[in-house]
Amino acid sequence: MIRNLLGSLVALAGAASAVLSPFRPWYDGRLGRDYRVRDLFEGITLTESGVLVSILLPFLAAAALVVLGAVLRSRLVTAFAGVVVLGFTVLWMVRQGQAAGSLAVSGDGSGLRVGVVNALAGGVLMLIGAALMRGRRSRGAGRGRRREPSGEPFAVPPADQVDTWPPSREPGMSVQTSPWPEPEVDPYTGPDPRASGDPGDPAAGEDPRDPVHPPHRPPPT
C-alpha cells in the first residue's frame, strides 16, 4: 500500500512536470506549445501551432494515463505514460537537430532551454513511479496462499508406536485419529435380575455382578 502511494505521487509529479513543459521555452526562446505534433513527423517549421494540436496534446494524454494508472495501481499503464513523454521529447530533439543542424546549450538563452529539461524529467519520474509501485494483487492468489493444503487423514500409527497421537507423535493414551471424542461404551449388559426376582428372596436385593458382595443362596434346610 505504501509503495503504491509513493509511486503514484512520484508519477503524478512527473505528469505535472511534463504538462508544464510546453508552456516554457524549448529552443532558442520558442515555447513548446508552438511546435505542432505533425512537425515531429514531418520536420520542424516556423508555423505557429494551436495549443490543442501542439506537443502539449501527447503530454496531456500521458498525464491522463498516469492518473488512470494511479487509480488502478497499474505499473504498466504508468510506465507506458513515461515512455510516451520521453518518446515525443526525443523525437522533437531529433527533428530540431535536423532543422538547426545541431543541438546546443548556450548561456545567452539560445539552444536547448528549460522546457526540454522539464519534459525529460517528467518522463523519468513517471518511470521511477512505475518502478516504485507494487501493483494490484490478485485476490484469488491471496486466497490460495491463505488456504491450508488439504491432505489425507492421519494414518494409524505402527504397532510399535500405538501410544502416540498424530501428527506430533507425542506419547498419549489414545490412538484415535479423529478430532471428535471417543464414544463411551454403554455399560448396560442386560436386564436387572432384581427387577424380575421374587421379592421374598433374600438374594433378590443383591447385585449378582457385585465383585465385593457376591450373591449366595440360603443354606439348605
Side-chain angles (χ1 to χ4, degrees), residues 176 178-184:
Q176 181 185 1
S178 173
W180 302 103
E182 296 181 353
E184 297 183 0

Side-chain angles (χ1 to χ4, degrees), residues 38-64:
R38 61 182 298 181
D39 290 346
L40 304 182
F41 302 95
E42 299 176 357
I44 301 297
T45 64
L46 297 178
T47 305
E48 296 294 331
S49 173
V51 176
L52 295 181
V53 293
S54 68
I55 198 173
L56 175 64
L57 181 61
F59 289 176
L60 286 176

